[in-house]
Amino acid sequence: MKKKSKDKKPAQKKWILLLAAALFFICNSSVMWAKVQEHFFENSINDTLSATVMSSQAVITDSATAKTDEKAVEKTDEGADAIGDDASDEKAFRSDDWRLVLVNKQHPIPDDYELKLGSIKTSRGSMKCDRRIIADLEKMIEDARKDGINLVICSPYRPSTRQKYLFNKKVKVYVKSGNSYMDSYYLSAQAVNIPGSSEHEIGLALDIVSDRYSGLNEGFADTDAGKWLAKHCMEYGFVLRYPKGKESITGIEYEPWHFRYVGKEAAEYMSSENICLEEFKEQIRE
């Protein structure tokens, strides 16, 4: 009996050792698995955080880009508005521009107006006008000639003495026709500007006819020269100063031979809007 008991002890120790080894392995395996899980979990968290950060950065970048784009658009719009303003400011004429000075019965020539006269050669000899308009005037005459039209300048600058003579001459004509002096004066003022209120006296207005028609009357409008001037004068900075239908505004009868220099931009604008100088000046004062 004692012998059998001795044989069992080594077997029991062996199983105990195997069981201990198994338990040790299982415990170590659990720890390792936990570490593996922890590793993957941390990586997963890091990846998620990285993705979130990247996404946030992308959103921030997109937002910044969007704001930049908005600012760019705003600047572009502002630029477009500015360009638009400047283009309309093609029409932003200055009321004190020498080319746009308004001279009529209500606006006589200022006492301090400074004449800037120059000479121009015409078929009737050397005449004077404002020297600043000569280049455009000569160009207009030259281009008309190329189209078979021979323009004739018959009355550019007039000194005040000449204007007084012409006005008084007109008054006498009406008086001789049986009108009172006051009626004659009023009627004359519709055909000839009162001395001191004529654009001829500042050298910016010219009476223009042709070598085939020299009459200062409405018939000139039906001539080739009259039609050419009405169509092309604005290209050279001139306007028909007293157009038909504007008599109540200009205070002067229709004169298809009377042209006034206002500059190309203003001339083209007045022509396109079908307005006279009085109306134009009213617009730029608004």
Side-chain angles (χ1 to χ4, degrees):
M1 293 292 294
K2 291 181 180 179
K3 190 176 180 179
K4 287 183 179 179
S5 177
K6 287 181 180 178
D7 292 337
K8 288 181 178 178
K9 286 182 179 179
Q12 288 177 349
K13 288 181 180 180
K14 183 179 179 180
W15 284 107
I16 290 170
L17 290 172
L18 289 172
L19 180 60
L23 290 172
F24 178 78
F25 176 78
I26 291 171
C27 289
N28 286 338
S29 298
S30 297
V31 173
M32 290 177 65
W33 177 244
K35 288 184 177 180
V36 170
Q37 286 183 318
E38 184 180 355
H39 173 74
F40 280 106
F41 179 75
E42 287 178 354
N43 286 342
S44 178
I45 289 295
N46 290 335
D47 289 343
T48 303
L49 288 173
S50 297
T52 303
V53 170
M54 291 178 66
S55 178
S56 299
Q57 289 176 339
V59 170
I60 293 171
T61 302
D62 290 343
S63 177
T65 302
K67 288 181 179 178
T68 301
D69 291 343
E70 287 177 3
K71 289 181 180 178
V73 170
E74 288 175 1
K75 288 182 179 179
T76 301
D77 290 342
E78 288 174 2
D81 290 342
I83 292 171
D85 289 341
D86 287 339
S88 18
D89 282 348
E90 90 198 53
K91 328 286 187 209
F93 305 97
R94 293 182 52 177
S95 59
D96 61 349
D97 189 330
W98 65 270
R99 296 171 297 182
L100 303 177
V101 60
L102 177 60
V103 174
N104 57 23
K105 299 181 186 71
Q106 294 74 36
H107 301 85
I109 300 169
D111 292 335
D112 60 349
Y113 189 86
E114 184 180 353
L115 290 173
K116 297 181 182 295
L117 298 177
S119 297
I120 181 172
K121 294 180 180 179
T122 73
S123 60
R124 299 187 178 186
S126 179
M127 295 183 175
K128 293 184 179 298
C129 65
D130 190 305
R131 64 173 180 262
R132 294 168 291 188
I133 77 172
I134 291 177
D136 287 328
L137 178 59
E138 290 179 338
K139 177 65 174 170
M140 182 170 72
I141 294 172
E142 178 186 350
D143 288 350
R145 188 180 297 114
K146 291 177 181 177
D147 289 340
I149 307 294
N150 293 315
L151 299 177
V152 175
I153 298 172
C154 61
S155 185
Y157 166 72
R158 295 177 193 155
S160 58
T161 52
R162 176 65 176 170
Q163 189 67 27
K164 288 177 183 178
Y165 167 78
L166 293 174
F167 185 80
N168 291 334
K169 181 180 179 181
K170 196 71 170 177
V171 172
K172 289 177 181 179
V173 170
Y174 281 115
V175 169
K176 287 183 180 180
S177 298
N179 296 286
S180 68
Y181 178 81
M182 289 306 298
D183 287 343
S184 298
Y185 188 96
Y186 175 77
L187 291 169
S188 297
Q190 295 179 46
V192 180
N193 272 304
I194 297 170
S197 65
S198 171
E199 296 174 331
H200 284 288
E201 294 176 81
I202 59 174
L204 292 178
L206 309 98
D207 290 344
I208 305 177
V209 288
S210 74
D211 60 343
R212 296 182 180 181
Y213 196 103
S214 59
L216 297 180
N217 52 52
E218 292 190 17
F220 178 68
D222 298 322
T223 67
D224 290 339
K227 292 176 181 178
W228 190 95
L229 282 167
K231 182 178 180 180
H232 297 287
C233 69
M234 70 287 301
E235 299 169 16
Y236 307 90
F238 292 88
V239 292
L240 181 61
R241 180 63 180 91
Y242 303 121
K244 182 176 288 187
K246 301 290 185 179
E247 293 88 348
S248 62
I249 300 172
T250 63
I252 297 292
E253 299 170 349
Y254 170 49
E255 294 187 353
W257 64 88
H258 183 114
F259 293 87
R260 156 68 193 267
Y261 188 82
V262 294
K264 295 176 184 178
E265 295 84 0
E268 290 175 357
Y269 180 75
M270 290 170 63
S271 176
S272 65
E273 296 297 313
N274 190 31
I275 57 176
C276 61
L277 184 57
E278 281 80 4
E279 294 172 301
F280 177 77
K281 290 286 284 187
E282 193 64 33
Q283 284 190 16
I284 63 177
R285 271 198 296 266
E286 294 175 351

